[in-house]
Structure formats: structure tokens, C-alpha cells
């Protein structure tokens, strides 16, 4: 990740010029309106389709609520890199919708304005958010972002497939051995030939290949010590568990089976077609069901854990969020914060969360929000939000490199090309190297300001 402090204005403009026509084609796009006499704020956001439409309703409501500020919603592809270039070039937008994992590198690059001073004046406090969600808003003791939508990750399962093989559709697996048993009963293959259905399949969707260690009671990163833990006993157990599936199903059959899957947001998604009966996913999956298979009968439960770790009062689960930040150099930080505060109102957070099929990031919700929510399993996601065992992606500036390295090795492990004993020690050394270089860079700059 390139830092704001290292990019000169000329260099940033050069990068943007190199993007040339591409930036013009894929850069920010938004609406035109009469803005005479108003402060105009440019808001870069990554969302399109139904997600972008919902955020536009929040923006429109703000613009209509007063006559001093006008927010322009600008759809921006490759938002993480384009935003850094714009900030370094001295021409940032006023607001940016990023991913939570962007917060540490942006904060350490001095690319964000802290919320510590701005937010309280507009009635915002960390205490108004669900406990698990607060983790992603802060980095190294300072507050850098608000959460505009948040989801937690859980087990989604096909109740019709459960009934077909004699499993109780109202009793999902709570431990990994129970998941393994359900998987084995759900596997379907004609005469031991190509797979027609599996119970669980680790590479689907494959967005969080690093999280299995947490369901064995471990972690892959120690934030206090700033150390990689991918060689931990828990991660060894997790990788061995994952490989047991590949070994039982057969790597070649797994490869051919995965190649038969359709893309995520299509009717050919393997969960909707019944090819994969149980998946790990976020609450947004309900939008997929509504769009393409409204009669699909699904259940939701916390993703199972290793024996001895099950606790219904404290489920284990990843929290994955989108955040709203004010970049360093924004022309009107107070006006920007006024808009941020508008988006964090209970009615606005619930409007957006409902459209995205997600829980509200706030600690409290209205009774109507839960009663009419389009995701039938929304209560499970709230339980994870409140859980002391909820976790977020490792908050290190090196996370993107760290994750890419882990993703590559997990794919090799899934294909049975390498054992955990051979793969994980060097993987820990490489990921620790990324962390050490990030720490050295932080020391040179004096840390996140």
C-alpha cells in the first residue's frame, strides 16, 4: 500500500494521468442537481445496484432535510487505490466509503481525519454501536471511521436438503464433528463419479480462507504483540480439518465440481442450485434468495466450532463491515461530519441495513426493524455482534499482503499439494515479514497520528 506521505502531488497526478482514459471511464460518476448557495460535498462510494440505490435514498433524504449542504454520490471503482491517489494529490473527495480493512493503512498513512474531535460535536459516540462493531472503527487508540453497514458471517443451510437425508432442519450443527457428519450424509455422487452435491465445501465462496483457526479457538494474528500466528496449533488443526474434506472427496472431483458453479449473484450460485447444502456467508445472502429463489427454504446458525468450544451465549463469528471516512484534506470537515452523523441516525441505519439485508451496526434497534427484516436469520447475526468471541480481520497495515499470502497457501493446501507441517512455518515467517516492514515504516513516521 502506498502511503499518502510518500506520494508527491506531481507523482499522484502522474499516476492519475497514467490511468488516463481508464479513470475517466471507471472513475466517480454521480448525479447532477441545482446546488447554488450550498456547500457541495463529493462522496465516493463503491456500491452499485440495489446497495447503491439504498445509499442514494439516504443521501437524498439528507439533501432534502436542509438547504445548506448538498452531497453528491459518486460511484467509484477500485475505490481504495483511487482514494489514496486523490488524497496524496491534494484533491480528495469530502467523504469516502471504504472497507474496514482499509482503516489501519489509511490511518497510519495520515490519510484520514480523526473522529475523536469531530464526531462528539454532532452527537456521535462509540458507545452507540454494537460491541463487536466498535473494533473496526478504531486503530491504535484513535477513532477513524463510522460504520455504514455491517455484517457477521454465519452458517447458511438448505433445509430441504436436510429433510431429504433425514437431518432435522431445525437443529443445525453446532460443532465441527456435527458439521462433518451432516456433510457426509449430504454428499451425492452417482456411482462414485462426479459430485452432484456436497454438504460443505471450503472454497465456496472462498472469501475468508483465513478464518478457520478462530473456530478451533485460535487466531492468526496477535494484535498486542503484532505477531503472525498462522503456525499456531489451532491453525494446524484447522488446515488438517479442511484437507480431510478434500482428501475424502478427491482433489480432481473437487476441481471439476467447483468449475460447475455459477457466479455469486446469479441464479446459478451453487447454494441456490442445491450443489452445496451448507455455506459460510453473510446476511446479504438473503438478497440473493429474494432475487432468484424466493421460495428457497434456508436456515441460519452460528458457524460450528471445535468440540468443547460451543457456547450459545457467546457464538464465534467474523464481523465484516463497510466504513465511512473523512479523508485528510477534505474541504469541509464539519459539513462532512454532519452528513456522517445523519447516516448514523437509527432510521437511516435501519433503512440502509434493511436494503442490504444486514443488521444495523447500532447497539439498539427499533422493534419494527427486526420484525420486518428480509433476512429470516437476522437474530443470529445480532448474537454474533454482541458476542465477546466475535472477531474482525487482523488490524494491521500489512493485512492485504498477509491475506493474499494466506489465500495462496490455503488454495495449495486444499489441493493437497502441501501439508500443514510443511506450509505453515514458512507462511508465518513471510507474513511476519510483512508485519515487521509495516512496523518499521510506522516507526519512521512516528505512528498513526
Amino acid at each position: 500500500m502506498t502511503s499518502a506521505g510518500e506520494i508527491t502531488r506531481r507523482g499522484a497526478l502522474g499516476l492519475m494521468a497514467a490511468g488516463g482514459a481508464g479513470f475517466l471511464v471507471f472513475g466517480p460518476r454521480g448525479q447532477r442537481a441545482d446546488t447554488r448557495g450550498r456547500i457541495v460535498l463529493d462522496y465516493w462510494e463503491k456500491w452499485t445496484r440495489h446497495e447503491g440505490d439504498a445509499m442514494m435514498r439516504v443521501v437524498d433524504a439528507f439533501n432534502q432535510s436542509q438547504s445548506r449542504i448538498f452531497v453528491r454520490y459518486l460511484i467509484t471503482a477500485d475505490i481504495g487505490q483511487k482514494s489514496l491517489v486523490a488524497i496524496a494529490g491534494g484533491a480528495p473527495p469530502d467523504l469516502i466509503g471504504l472497507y474496514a480493512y482499509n482503516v489501519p493503512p489509511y490511518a497510519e498513512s495520515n490519510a484520514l481525519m480523526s473522529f475523536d474531535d469531530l464526531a462528539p460535536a454532532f452527537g456521535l459516540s462509540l458507545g452507540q454501536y454494537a460491541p463487536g462493531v466498535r473494533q473496526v472503527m478504531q486503530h491504535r487508540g484513535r477513532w477513524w471511521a463510522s460504520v455504514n453497514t455491517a455484517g457477521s458471517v454465519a452458517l447458511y443451510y438448505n433445509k430441504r436438503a436436510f429433510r431429504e437425508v433425514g437431518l432435522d432442519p431445525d437443529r443445525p450443527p453446532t460443532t465441527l464433528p456435527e458439521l462433518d457428519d451432516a456433510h457426509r450424509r449430504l454428499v451425492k455422487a452417482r456411482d462414485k463419479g462426479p459430485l452432484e452435491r456436497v454438504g460443505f465445501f471450503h472454497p465456496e465462496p472462498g472469501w475468508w480462507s483465513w478464518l478457520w483457526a478462530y473456530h478451533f479457538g485460535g487466531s492468526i494474528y496477535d494484535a498486542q504483540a503484532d505477531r503472525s500466528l498462522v503456525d499456531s496449533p489451532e491453525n494446524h488443526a484447522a488446515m488438517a480439518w479442511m484437507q480431510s474434506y478434500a482428501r475424502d472427496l478427491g482433489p480432481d472431483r473437487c476441481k471439476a465440481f467447483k468449475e460447475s458453479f455459477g457466479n455469486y449473484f446469479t441464479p446459478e450460485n451453487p447454494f441456490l442450485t442445491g450443489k452445496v447444502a451448507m455455506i459460510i456467508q453473510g446476511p446479504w445472502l438473503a438478497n440473493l434468495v429474494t432475487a432468484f429463489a424466493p421460495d428457497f427454504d434456508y436456515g441460519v446458525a452460528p458457524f460450528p466450532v471445535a468440540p468443547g468450544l460451543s457456547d450459545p451465549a457467546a457464538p464465534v463469528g467474523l464481523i465484516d463491515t463497510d466504513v465511512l471516512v473523512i479523508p485528510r484534506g477534505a474541504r469541509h470537515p464539519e459539513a462532512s461530519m454532519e452528513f456522517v452523523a445523519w447516516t448514523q441516525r437509527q432510521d437511516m441505519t435501519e433503512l440502509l441495513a434493511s436494503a442490504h439485508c444486514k443488521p444495523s451496526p447500532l447497539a439498539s434497534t427499533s422493534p419494527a426493524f427486526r420484525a420486518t427484516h428480509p433476512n429470516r436469520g437476522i437474530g443470529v447475526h445480532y448474537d454474533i455482534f454482541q458476542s465477546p468471541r466475535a472477531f474482525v480481520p487482523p488490524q494491521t497495515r500489512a493485512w492485504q499482503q498477509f491475506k493474499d499470502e494466506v489465500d495462496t497457501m490455503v488454495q495449495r493446501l486444499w489441493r493437497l499439494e502441501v501439508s500443514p507441517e510443511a506450509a505453515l512455518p514458512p507462511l508465518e515467517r513471510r507474513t511476519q515479514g510483512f508485519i515487521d516492514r509495516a512496523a518499521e515504516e510506522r516507526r519512521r513516521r512516528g505512528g498513526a497520528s
Side-chain angles (χ1 to χ4, degrees), residues 32 64 95 122 163 181 203 242 265 294 312-313 350 411 414 425:
R32 296 180 182 277
Q64 293 165 13
L95 299 137
F122 291 89
R163 292 189 194 94
D181 176 65
M242 181 188 76
F265 205 83
E350 292 184 1
Q411 289 172 21
W414 173 253

Side-chain angles (χ1 to χ4, degrees), residues 208-236 238-239 318 391-396 398-399 401-407 410 424 427-429 431-432 435:
W208 308 286
S209 69
W210 51 271
L211 62 66
W212 309 119
Y214 294 78
H215 292 269
F216 281 80
S219 171
I220 62 166
Y221 175 66
D222 181 340
Q224 295 298 320
D226 204 19
R227 303 296 301 175
S228 170
L229 299 176
V230 297
D231 192 26
S232 66
E234 294 85 0
N235 204 32
H236 273 266
M239 292 298 104
L318 167 68
F391 61 93
V392 299
Q395 291 184 293
T396 165
W399 174 235
Q401 290 174 291
F402 189 127
K403 177 180 178 300
D404 290 347
E405 197 74 13
V406 171
D407 283 345
V410 170
L424 297 183
L427 179 63
E428 181 164 297
R429 289 193 292 274
T431 50
Q432 186 61 47
I435 294 170

Side-chain angles (χ1 to χ4, degrees), residues 107 112-126 137-146 326 328 337 448-449:
L112 301 179
M113 297 190 70
S114 170
F115 278 28
D116 288 315
D117 299 325
L118 283 170
F122 291 89
L124 295 181
S125 69
L126 287 168
M137 303 166 69
Q138 304 169 82
H139 182 62
R140 296 190 173 274
R142 300 196 69 181
W143 181 7
W144 299 103
S146 66
I326 300 175
R328 181 76 60 187
M337 185 54 74
S449 59

Side-chain angles (χ1 to χ4, degrees), residues 365-394:
T365 58
S366 69
F369 174 67
R370 288 206 191 201
T372 61
H373 199 283
N375 186 320
R376 66 177 67 172
I378 198 65
V380 171
H381 293 285
Y382 270 113
D383 290 344
I384 296 171
F385 271 16
Q386 302 294 334
S387 173
R389 297 198 292 175
F391 61 93
V392 299

Side-chain angles (χ1 to χ4, degrees), residues 401 430 432-442 444:
Q401 290 174 291
R430 289 196 298 276
Q432 186 61 47
F434 299 143
I435 294 170
D436 291 343
R437 283 193 286 278
E440 178 57 30
E441 196 169 342
R442 187 167 60 246
R444 285 203 309 269

Side-chain angles (χ1 to χ4, degrees), residues 243 251 408-419 422-423:
Q243 285 196 322
T408 299
M409 186 53 70
V410 170
Q411 289 172 21
R412 291 194 62 202
L413 285 158
W414 173 253
R415 295 193 296 265
L416 304 181
E417 294 172 357
V418 63
S419 69

Side-chain angles (χ1 to χ4, degrees), residues 27-65:
R29 292 174 285 119
Q31 78 276 30
R32 296 180 182 277
D34 184 359
T35 60
R36 285 173 293 185
R38 304 173 80 168
I39 296 172
V40 177
L41 303 180
D42 285 341
Y43 168 25
W44 289 11
E45 184 55 84
K46 55 199 172 298
W47 288 323
T48 59
R49 296 191 299 193
H50 62 279
E51 294 177 331
D53 293 343
M55 192 67 214
M56 270 303 304
R57 292 202 293 276
V58 174
V59 170
D60 288 343
F62 176 76
N63 288 338
Q64 293 165 13
S65 72

